Each structure stands twice: as C-alpha cells, then as structure tokens.
Amino acid sequence: MKKVNMNDVAKQAEVSLTTVSRVINNSGYVAEEKRKRVENAIRETGYLLPIQPEKPAHMENLIGLILRKISVNIFYDQLSSALLQEADKVGYSMVAMYSNGDLCNDNLRGYVEKLLKYKVSGIVICGFGDEYLSESLRELLQECGIPIVFVERTAGCYGFNRVLVDNSLGTYYATRYLIQKKHGRLLYIGFDKKGSVEKSRTKGFLHAVQEAGYADSQYSIYSCPDSSVASGYAAMKWALEKQADITGVVAYFDGYAAGAMQYLYEIGRKVPNDIEIIGHDDTYAPNLAPPISSVRMPFEEMGSAAVNMILENQGNTMDFFAKTVSLEPKLILRGGNAQAVFL
C-alpha cells in the first residue's frame, strides 16, 4: 500500500502544498475554512503527521552541509569555505558531509537522514548531480521540518530554495573578450557530462562565436572525459594538431587551463603572447605561471544567500521553498595582454 504523503492531503483538501504545511506546522495564516478541509483530509487519508523533535539548546545554531568532493576541481572547497565564513558571521556552526563523486538521489537521502539526527536548523546541498529529485527524496525534504537550500546544479530541484549562478554568462563573457581582441580561431575545452552546468557553459561559448558570425571552421570544441589536468593537456594537444593557428582558448574550469598551459610550455608556445587562455571559477588561475584571466564565481555571495535563506525560513518548512537567488559571475583579467573592454 502506498504511503500517504502531503501531496495526497493537498489533493484531497483541494488546497496548495504550502497550505497543508502551514496547518501541520501551525505557521502562517490559513483561512479557517481551508484549515478545516486540511484537518479533515488528514483524517480521511490516514496521513501520519511528522514528528518534530525539539532541538537541544546547544544545537539550535547548527547548519548541515552536503556537497560533492572532487579531487582536482577545488570549486566545492571554495564554496564550503564561503559558507562556513558566512555561517560564522551570524553565530552558526556547520557540520559537513562530502560525497565521493556525484551527489545523486541514491546517496543524498542517506546524508540528509544522518544530518537530521544532529537536529540541524537547516541543510545546504551543493552540487546535486541528477536531473530530477526522486519522489521519495522530495517527500523527505518537504516533510523534514527545516529549510532546505540547493546551491549550484539546481535544475531538477524546483520547489525548494535555490542559489544559482548564470554559468552561460561566464563563458560568454570570456569568449566575447577573446573575440574583441581579434582572436581569429578559438578553442573551447569542455567537460563531456550532460549536466546543467556543462550545458550552460558550452552554450555561452557557442552564443558568443555565433553572435560574432564565426564560421564553424573558426572554432573547435573538445569534450574532456573527466575533470583532470591531464584532460586539459590532451585537449590542447589535439586542437593544435588539428588547427595550428589557434590563438584563444576558453576552459570549462581552471584545471583544464593548467593542463593546456603545460602542453604549450612543452612545445615552446608562450601564454598569453602566442595563445591566450581564460579559465573558469578563478581557483588556480591567480597562481599559475603566468597568472591567467578567469571567470570568478561569486562564492561569498553564494554562501551569504544560502545562509540567509536558512535564517529567514526558521519555522517554515514550505512557505519559502520557491525562492531563487540568481547571481552573475565576473571576468577577471590578468596578464600583459589584458585589455579593458566592455563586458
């Protein structure tokens, strides 16, 4: 027999899921007539009200954090650091759980259930990899009684608080900069994964070259099989063997840019004089030799937005789940050939 959930109650009472949540949690205004319909629907469907344990005083200011762990790409290390700093500013601590590899429906549920045992005040989830949340996981998050915030890779997480960055805009800025500097042949080093971030960054590159009227022969796209520096090396080698006159490169992340620079160093090509490279995320870029331009992700703003959502939504499990904060990346220019252009 199928377990009755809040969606079933909402359907029976002919009200929204938010209204059901307000009645169950006794928070927010609900018209008396609707309240009675929800209460009747709970009895008629046999819905079991979730147990909301009281939080011990010493755990009231604790936020749970779940995120991907990628050995080469330190994006999530930077993001977790920003979240910890923002939480500390408002007197909160964090308990973090890292996923070895993709964060998906299969393992996310286990991490959430473990964090709930800590009586956290909210949970921030960074880097969810599946296209959609499973029905059972969505139900758990809806009924856990605390705010949930998804950060980055949020395409399938509709109905919950989300903090996202316009990834297509970053690669668009980077590519347009190279075009404005009259680079006639370009390379995009992308990641061969069909997630929302990968698609968006490729889309930004294509938007810029097509907007500029580049012919297909004027640019190449290499899809790397993994997120390793070695893949960036292989991409640069492949591209120059195919088109030796490439002068501009946009990389999916700084690690690919580092690999491309390693190959160029080995064959005696100079960056940025011979080939100009722009990375993404601005993690390794400032410390490479020479430092290169990169698209900087707004880590501090992402952390601040996520923590503020947790604070604002205390006591409201569903009322604010649809809130979305959209942020923009920024192109940081470095190197002797960097020029100020309108972006």
Side-chain angles (χ1 to χ4, degrees):
M1 182 177 179
K2 180 185 175 183
K3 179 183 176 182
V4 178
N5 57 38
M6 288 174 63
N7 290 297
D8 298 317
V9 174
K11 184 177 180 180
Q12 177 76 8
E14 297 182 342
V15 297
S16 69
L17 200 58
T18 297
T19 299
V20 174
S21 176
R22 286 178 174 176
V23 173
I24 291 174
N25 294 287
N26 194 28
S27 65
Y29 172 76
V30 178
E32 188 61 27
E33 184 267 337
K34 286 187 177 181
R35 181 179 295 276
K36 289 182 179 179
R37 280 159 51 190
V38 171
E39 292 171 347
N40 289 335
I42 290 173
R43 287 192 293 270
E44 292 168 2
T45 59
Y47 175 69
L48 297 177
L49 294 173
I51 298 174
Q52 303 290 344
E54 293 185 4
K55 298 175 186 176
H58 67 285
M59 287 191 177
E60 285 183 352
N61 294 346
L62 185 64
I63 297 174
L65 174 61
I66 305 171
L67 67 165
R68 299 172 71 198
K69 182 67 175 178
I70 305 176
S71 58
V72 176
N73 190 345
I74 60 174
F75 174 92
Y76 290 104
D77 292 327
Q78 297 272 51
L79 181 55
S80 63
S81 177
L83 285 161
L84 287 167
Q85 290 178 17
E86 292 301 320
D88 185 64
K89 288 179 183 178
V90 293
Y92 274 66
S93 299
M94 278 193 158
V95 54
M97 292 190 173
Y98 289 86
S99 168
N100 289 322
D102 287 342
L103 187 60
C104 58
N105 284 298
D106 291 340
N107 56 18
L108 180 54
R109 183 183 185 90
Y111 295 129
V112 171
E113 290 175 340
K114 288 178 182 178
L115 285 176
L116 291 176
K117 294 179 181 178
Y118 284 90
K119 309 297 189 298
V120 293
S121 298
I123 297 177
V124 179
I125 301 170
C126 306
F128 179 70
D130 281 348
E131 189 173 358
Y132 297 104
L133 286 169
S134 67
E135 183 178 347
S136 62
L137 180 56
R138 179 175 290 277
E139 180 181 330
L140 171 65
L141 297 177
Q142 288 174 341
E143 300 185 5
C144 67
I146 58 174
I148 305 294
V149 181
F150 283 89
V151 180
E152 264 296 68
R153 298 183 178 273
T154 67
C157 305
Y158 61 89
F160 292 94
N161 289 311
R162 300 189 301 163
V163 179
L164 51 87
V165 178
D166 189 339
N167 279 281
S168 64
L169 193 61
T171 46
Y172 172 77
Y173 281 164
T175 308
R176 191 170 71 167
Y177 172 76
L178 293 177
I179 291 171
Q180 290 176 336
K181 289 191 64 181
K182 309 302 181 184
H183 287 280
R185 198 173 300 279
L186 303 176
L187 166 67
Y188 176 64
I189 305 177
F191 186 17
D192 187 20
K193 189 175 181 181
K194 307 306 179 184
S196 58
V197 173
E198 291 79 17
K199 290 178 181 178
S200 293
R201 293 188 183 182
T202 302
K203 179 181 178 181
F205 173 81
L206 289 172
H207 179 195
V209 294
Q210 291 167 1
E211 179 183 70
Y214 273 38
D216 291 349
S217 60
Q218 290 181 274
Y219 64 89
S220 300
I221 296 178
Y222 183 95
S223 296
C224 297
D226 55 41
S227 56
S228 67
V229 172
S231 285
Y233 179 102
M236 194 74 255
K237 184 176 185 295
W238 168 86
L240 288 179
E241 289 175 350
K242 180 182 177 183
Q243 294 178 319
D245 57 345
I246 289 173
T247 60
V249 177
V250 177
Y252 169 80
F253 87 110
D254 283 354
Y256 289 162
M261 290 175 67
Q262 181 182 350
Y263 177 72
L264 293 175
Y265 173 79
E266 291 179 4
I267 64 173
R269 304 285 288 274
K270 294 183 178 180
V271 176
N273 295 338
D274 297 327
I275 296 182
E276 188 165 7
I277 299 179
I278 300 180
H280 205 294
D281 299 346
D282 203 34
T283 50
Y284 297 119
N287 302 311
L288 295 174
I292 63 170
S293 301
S294 186
V295 177
R296 177 177 294 170
M297 298 294 275
F299 292 114
E300 291 184 4
E301 292 91 336
M302 294 164 75
S304 177
V307 171
N308 284 336
M309 284 178 173
I310 297 293
L311 298 181
E312 292 170 0
N313 297 349
Q314 290 300 300
N316 297 282
T317 59
M318 288 294 295
D319 293 357
F320 297 87
F321 275 179
K323 183 176 181 180
T324 298
V325 173
S326 299
L327 302 170
E328 292 187 1
K330 182 179 181 181
L331 178 60
I332 305 299
L333 300 177
R334 300 185 180 93
N337 287 352
Q339 299 174 3
V341 295
F342 175 73
L343 297 173

